[in-house]
Amino acid sequence: MALGGTVARTRRPSEGPAERRIFSGEGTRYIDAGLVAQTDEGKLFGKRVYHFFKTDSTNRVAMELGYAGEPEGAVILAEEQTAGRGRSGRSWHSERGAGLYVTLLLRPRLSPVQAPLLTMLAGLSAHSAIQAQTGLSAELKWPNDILMDGKKVGGILTEMHAEPTQVRFVIVGIGINTNQEKFPHDIASLATSLRKESGRTHSRLELLVRLLNEFESDYNRFLREGARYVVDRFERVSSFASGKRVRVETGFETYFGTTAGLTSDGLLQVKREEGPVTMVVAGDVTEAR
Ligand code: BTN
């Protein structure tokens, strides 16, 4: 394959048993792309799974696939990223075999202003998948952070290619720290993993399949029911969405206030300490004590 990954696809009924690839080496268990495709047979996300042992960024690969005309539903998955991308130009620490590093390719009929709702939607799907996997409830911090014990356990990075009124494609990159035992010094106090929080290791294949199933049903509901579905659910699940004292950094200004729910488009509203309610379009929102 041109992009250097392994493609697995769901078998057709007329074909023989699906090829199974169990990747193993040097004591590391890799996610079996064939099993993902097989487990998610008949589903949108699972028809085509691109598996990389190592790539720079699954988001970068997904953008390339999007421009090349790859259909909706492709799942791009890596064991290790050498240049994992985070929000606001940050990097995403992607230790080999320890986390889930996955990007989904979507071609929704949406206007570009609605695309950020997909970030929140993916957060909700990840929240449910994590709960089913670990029994623990993560916290969602608008717009893209998944936290446990106040530390970051996952994040979403959505990118798109769009015309002024119509999305061409959107890619939703999801990183979940799964089995990391420790993190580099600079992020050690800010990051955590499912393993550290639950005290046991987790199958990344199982977590991925849960995530894909949750996302597929959430995505279909969003397309059917619109923004309201995402906004209402996010407000229910995230204790951050209202009544939380926060510090907002937009790049232009920094202010303090209290979160006051989401707009119908999914923007966070903050009642400034001295001033009006402001909608946060972009920026870093952190809890202020
Ligand atoms: C953030 O919280 O800053 C977003 C992190 C998103 C990380 C994921 S890992 C899979 C995908 N590929 C990337 O390069 N980034 C996203």
Side-chain angles (χ1 to χ4, degrees):
M1 207 224 30
L3 289 153
T6 303
V7 188
R9 70 180 164 76
T10 312
R11 76 193 139 117
R12 286 194 295 272
S14 58
E15 292 177 319
E19 182 186 5
R20 287 186 172 213
R21 291 169 203 262
I22 309 289
F23 297 114
S24 63
E26 294 160 323
T28 313
R29 293 283 309 272
Y30 295 110
I31 295 176
D32 182 344
L35 276 181
V36 177
Q38 211 176 330
T39 314
D40 276 340
E41 195 160 349
K43 298 270 176 70
L44 175 61
F45 300 101
K47 274 204 200 93
R48 285 172 73 82
V49 181
Y50 291 80
H51 176 274
F52 292 81
F53 289 102
K54 190 197 260 196
T55 189
D56 50 356
S57 155
T58 55
N59 269 28
R60 204 272 308 148
V61 174
M63 285 302 282
E64 199 173 315
L65 285 166
Y67 283 116
E70 176 74 24
E72 174 164 80
V75 175
I76 300 96
L77 171 67
E79 301 295 336
E80 178 184 1
Q81 297 184 117
T82 53
R85 299 179 190 167
R87 203 165 151 259
S88 309
R90 298 187 190 104
S91 61
W92 186 256
H93 175 67
S94 309
E95 180 189 336
R96 181 187 178 103
L100 202 56
Y101 317 117
V102 61
T103 303
L104 312 179
L105 175 66
L106 316 175
R107 293 187 181 275
R109 292 167 66 87
L110 294 178
S111 90
V113 291
Q114 293 175 296
L117 289 164
L118 292 166
T119 302
M120 291 159 64
L121 191 76
L124 288 164
S125 311
H127 178 272
S128 301
I130 288 171
Q131 191 148 37
Q133 180 71 39
T134 64
L136 301 174
S137 187
E139 171 69 294
L140 293 181
K141 181 163 81 68
W142 186 92
N144 75 318
D145 287 334
I146 308 167
L147 308 175
M148 278 180 155
D149 196 21
K151 296 178 180 173
K152 192 137 166 163
V153 75
I156 322 284
L157 180 64
T158 300
E159 302 180 69
M160 70 175 152
H161 170 51
E163 307 298 331
T165 58
Q166 174 65 47
V167 161
R168 291 279 170 234
F169 64 86
V170 180
I171 60 160
V172 179
I174 305 165
I176 301 179
N177 298 332
T178 313
N179 290 323
Q180 285 88 343
E181 288 180 86
K182 52 184 182 6
F183 291 92
H185 187 66
D186 55 329
I187 57 168
S189 62
L190 307 172
T192 190
S193 67
L194 301 185
R195 177 180 185 164
K196 281 166 84 80
E197 296 303 313
S198 66
R200 61 194 169 89
T201 58
H202 295 276
S203 155
R204 290 174 307 133
L205 172 65
E206 222 172 283
L207 182 63
L208 174 65
V209 169
R210 289 186 202 279
L211 178 65
L212 296 180
N213 287 337
E214 292 289 346
F215 187 82
E216 182 147 347
S217 90
D218 289 339
Y219 181 55
N220 286 329
R221 277 197 72 174
F222 168 47
L223 295 182
R224 274 199 315 271
E225 297 173 29
R228 203 67 255 167
Y229 169 65
V230 185
V231 171
D232 286 355
R233 214 177 124 202
F234 199 91
E235 283 187 321
R236 277 200 309 277
V237 169
S238 168
S239 71
F240 223 87
S242 52
K244 196 69 103 185
R245 187 163 184 270
V246 289
R247 172 192 160 97
V248 182
E249 284 175 84
T250 67
F252 298 107
E253 58 173 345
T254 300
Y255 56 88
F256 289 88
T258 305
T259 57
L262 304 177
T263 66
S264 56
D265 296 328
L267 300 180
L268 183 67
Q269 305 183 98
V270 175
K271 167 76 182 80
R272 293 189 186 221
E273 252 161 30
E274 281 157 28
V277 174
T278 305
M279 282 185 281
V280 186
V281 179
D284 274 336
V285 183
T286 45
E287 185 168 3
R289 289 168 203 274

